[in-house]
Amino acid sequence: MSDSGDVKGSFDGRFKALRDILAANLESGEDLGASVAVTVEGHPVVDLWGGWSDEGRQSPWGEDTITNVWSTTKTMTNLCALVLADRGLLDVDAPVARYWPEFAANGKEGVLVRQVLSHTSGVSGWAQPVTVEDIFDWERSTAMLAAQAPWWSRARPRATTPSTRDIWWARCSGASMAVRSGASSPRRWPAPRGDFHIGLDPSDDHRVSDVIAPPPLDIDLATLDMDSVAVKTFTGPAPDASVANTTAWRRAEIGAAKRARQCPLGGAHPGRRGQRRHARRRLAALAVDRRPHLPRAVHGVDLVLGLPLRFGIGYGLTDPETFAFLPSGRVCHWVAGAGRSSSSTWSAT
């Protein structure tokens, strides 16, 4: 079914309510511009977009508009890591130092790849002093992370890593494939009618929507524990959202906060239909970690977000305490991207 008016694209009639929600958000001004995609068993059933791509409302949000999706980018870098693990090129139970020897410094020799992917590495941001310009520089940013000590014991609960996790897995995958995020990004496994960029090519700049920074948070810094994991994470560094509009941000390989049009998790593998379905199930099973001799998930109050969260290898798992709207069972998700970005969920059954 095709659409007209402010919302463009197509959708299966079963998802008309989703189209109506997008249209209502655009009409009310709740969203300036947006796109949404849904796949079911590898088949695209929703591909919609609408609104404006600029604050001045001069450029309509088009079919090929891409935008900064912030932490939803983690789903794509993690997908790459799971593909490597599925191919036997990355051992998630190995120490990070096996692939990145410098990382063993300052008490991190025992940190495992799986702990990086489940936000339990002990390093969720860069230690001060650090600037936004530092994280644009690959060699400088990785050297800084390798040298610093963990911020908490890995026996304690997890902590979300807004910008650092892609560094870990990219260093690890680089040891076995001689690539970084920009070279091994999921553009090699494109989702239906979608595209994803970690390190944007200048030829795509014209497709990028503006990022409109939200008003500053009303926080009294005097009331905060400046040595807490949460404060250190969100200030290590603390870029204004408008930095996403700069050329430096667009070119940087920050695999936890980059640009996409749509990123449905379940449709990111080439091949025949049966092969795609089998690949999705293998990767989903790895993400939820079905191996009986290992813990199924990391579960606890997140030291950064302050919420009870459950994490598998690279993806969130259902937790009725926090995400009651998600279906139960073996489901992988990411619903916590800044700027209201989020990825679809898939079942690992």
Side-chain angles (χ1 to χ4, degrees), residues 310 318-324:
R310 186 184 300 272
T318 55
D319 190 324
E321 294 181 70
T322 307
F323 301 118

Side-chain angles (χ1 to χ4, degrees), residues 141-167:
S141 62
T142 56
M144 292 169 68
L145 287 173
Q148 73 184 60
W151 286 343
W152 75 90
S153 166
R154 293 186 301 281
R156 294 180 62 193
R158 58 182 293 279
T160 299
T161 55
S163 302
T164 61
R165 186 167 48 169
D166 69 301
I167 300 290

Side-chain angles (χ1 to χ4, degrees), residues 82 282-290 296 311-315 317 332 346:
L82 292 181
R282 286 203 319 270
L283 296 181
L286 180 58
V288 300
D289 200 350
R290 285 180 168 172
R296 285 184 54 192
F311 241 77
I313 301 180
Y315 291 89
L317 305 180
C332 307
W346 87 63

Side-chain angles (χ1 to χ4, degrees), residues 92-93 112-122 152-160 165 286-289 294-303 307-319 321-323 333-334:
V92 298
D93 297 310
L112 307 179
V113 173
R114 62 163 34 250
Q115 292 171 322
V116 170
L117 293 171
S118 63
H119 294 275
T120 56
S121 68
W152 75 90
S153 166
R154 293 186 301 281
R156 294 180 62 193
R158 58 182 293 279
T160 299
R165 186 167 48 169
L286 180 58
V288 300
D289 200 350
L294 293 172
R296 285 184 54 192
V298 176
H299 187 209
V301 176
D302 188 279
L303 297 178
L307 298 172
L309 296 175
R310 186 184 300 272
F311 241 77
I313 301 180
Y315 291 89
L317 305 180
T318 55
D319 190 324
E321 294 181 70
T322 307
F323 301 118
H333 70 85
W334 186 265

